[in-house]
Amino acid sequence: MSSLIAEDEISHETELVWLEDIDSLDYVRQSLDRLPTRRGRPPYHRDGRMVGYALLGATAKPSRQSGTFRRRVFWLLPHDRDSVPDGLYAKSAPAEAVDPHTLAPRTKGYKTERSEGGPPSSAMQQLGITLPL
C-alpha cells in the first residue's frame, strides 16, 4: 500500500505519533483511513494493534461526501514479525509494510533490506547503509 499512497494525500501531515518504540520494529503496516478528526488518537478496529498515526494541520479539508479526513495509521497484526519472528514474514514483509525509520510527516516511507527480513550486504553493513528496495 505504501506505493499507493499519493504525496498529495499526506501533504497536510504535521506530526507522526508513535505509541511504541519503533527502534525495535523492522516494519509497520501503513494505511490511509477515513477518520472523523484531523488530530487525536483515532479509533482502531483491526486485529492486532495500532503503533502510530498521523496528525493533520488546520489546512486539511474533510471529504465533501463523508466529512472525514484521510489520515495514516500504522499498525501490526498478531502474525507479524515482531510477534512471530520465524513466521510468515520472517524473510519478507506484507505489501503495505514500510520501514518505520523511513517515515516522517509528508513522507510515504519505503521498504528496506531490514524491513524485508534480510540483512544488508557485508559492504553495506560496514558503511552503515540501508537502501530502500
Side-chain angles (χ1 to χ4, degrees):
M1 251 190 204
S2 64
S3 60
L4 300 177
I5 294 177
E7 296 290 334
D8 64 329
E9 292 181 302
I10 59 175
S11 64
H12 294 284
E13 290 180 347
T14 59
E15 184 181 346
L16 299 182
V17 175
W18 295 108
L19 304 172
E20 296 184 20
D21 179 10
I22 61 170
D23 288 339
S24 64
L25 300 174
D26 293 338
Y27 65 81
V28 295
R29 295 173 186 250
Q30 72 174 345
S31 60
L32 269 175
D33 292 358
R34 293 200 176 277
L35 300 169
T37 62
R38 290 180 185 92
R39 305 187 66 75
R41 184 177 178 155
Y44 185 73
H45 304 290
R46 294 179 177 90
D47 287 342
R49 66 192 195 273
M50 179 171 45
V51 296
Y53 55 89
L55 302 179
L56 303 180
T59 58
K61 302 285 185 231
S63 163
R64 290 181 191 186
Q65 295 171 334
S66 66
T68 59
F69 297 89
R70 305 244 315 155
R71 288 173 52 194
R72 281 195 293 177
V73 175
F74 306 101
W75 46 285
L76 290 167
L77 291 176
H79 61 274
D80 279 325
R81 190 180 316 144
D82 70 302
S83 297
V84 186
D86 296 324
L88 176 63
Y89 295 114
K91 297 293 180 197
S92 66
E96 68 273 15
V98 294
D99 185 330
H101 294 101
T102 66
L103 290 164
R106 299 173 302 282
T107 302
K108 293 191 304 184
Y110 301 93
K111 288 187 184 292
T112 61
E113 290 167 322
R114 178 174 164 255
S115 68
E116 285 292 302
S121 66
S122 58
M124 302 245 326
Q125 287 177 344
Q126 289 173 357
L127 293 171
I129 298 172
T130 303
L131 295 177
L133 296 176

